[in-house]
């Protein structure tokens, strides 16, 4: 009878290990790779985008920015920065880094604080990162497109 108990205990231990490993590989884990999402339309001459890199199931880099039709990056536009900063108290190089850092620290698209003066961009960032998390869970590295609100 003792031998039967030991076999049963060993069998249950193996089942527990397989169950735990199966849960780890479930739908909530992020698949390694690069993932990019962008808005479907240009807004005031700029199209926002977010690119993330997942390594060992964790977000390790986040790039958030916008580009114009010629590919020039919004955060590099000094005139735009000066104008926006004087009117809104923030500028692209500041708020894009703040949103990216918040997302990286949280490892989630939930609970990202809105930067005062950049709430529209914050809403777009939230939509893009939500799509990226969904794509990263599936391992879908195709470009994600988020519909712009008109």
């Amino acid at each position: 009878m003792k031998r039967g108990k030991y076999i049963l205990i060993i069998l249950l231990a193996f089942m527990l290990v397989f169950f735990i490993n199966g849960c780890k590989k479930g739908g909530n884990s992020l698949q390694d790779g690069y993932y990019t999402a962008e808005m479907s339309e240009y807004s005031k001459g700029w199209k926002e985008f977010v690119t993330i890199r997942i390594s060992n199931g964790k977000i390790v880099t986040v790039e958030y920015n916008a580009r114009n039709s010629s590919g020039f990056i919004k955060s590099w536009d000094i005139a735009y920065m000066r104008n926006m900063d004087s009117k809104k108290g923030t500028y692209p190089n500041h708020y894009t880094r703040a949103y990216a850092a918040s997302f990286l620290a949280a490892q989630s698209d939930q609970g990202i604080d809105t930067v005062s003066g950049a709430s529209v961009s914050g809403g777009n960032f939230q939509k893009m990162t939500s799509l990226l998390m969904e794509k990263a869970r599936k391992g879908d590295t195709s470009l994600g497109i988020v519909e712009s609100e008109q």
Side-chain angles (χ1 to χ4, degrees):
M1 188 66 174
K2 283 186 177 183
R3 184 174 182 204
K5 279 185 177 179
Y6 289 122
I7 292 173
L8 182 60
I9 290 171
I10 291 170
L11 184 60
L12 288 174
F14 277 120
M15 288 174 57
L16 183 61
V17 167
F18 285 119
F19 176 75
I20 291 171
N21 283 336
C23 289
K24 286 181 183 175
K25 294 178 183 174
N28 287 333
S29 63
L30 303 176
Q31 303 298 312
D32 291 355
Y34 290 87
Y35 301 90
T36 299
E38 66 181 26
M39 299 305 293
S40 62
E41 304 290 329
Y42 288 87
S43 174
K44 299 178 183 174
W46 301 99
K47 183 182 279 195
E48 293 178 304
F49 65 91
V50 178
T51 298
I52 64 174
R53 183 169 71 97
I54 307 293
S55 180
N56 295 319
K58 295 194 180 287
I59 303 165
V60 294
T61 61
V62 180
E63 179 186 0
Y64 171 41
N65 223 307
R67 65 181 165 275
N68 65 18
S69 59
S70 66
F72 188 72
I73 299 297
K74 190 175 190 177
S75 291
W76 301 345
D77 190 329
I78 301 301
Y80 190 97
M81 177 192 76
R82 288 180 180 143
N83 185 46
M84 184 176 181
D85 191 29
S86 68
K87 292 179 181 176
K88 302 275 188 172
T90 191
Y91 50 92
N93 201 32
H94 174 259
Y95 70 77
T96 57
R97 290 176 186 222
Y99 285 128
S102 182
F103 179 56
L104 183 62
Q107 294 287 303
S108 170
D109 57 319
Q110 303 300 310
I112 297 171
D113 292 332
T114 302
V115 175
S116 180
S119 58
V120 171
S121 290
N124 290 343
F125 183 76
Q126 182 71 45
K127 292 174 194 171
M128 289 184 286
T129 55
S130 293
L131 177 59
L132 289 174
M133 295 297 284
E134 181 182 317
K135 292 174 92 44
R137 285 185 194 98
K138 296 176 184 176
D140 178 1
T141 59
S142 65
L143 177 64
I145 304 294
V146 174
E147 289 299 317
S148 302
E149 293 181 21
Q150 298 296 331

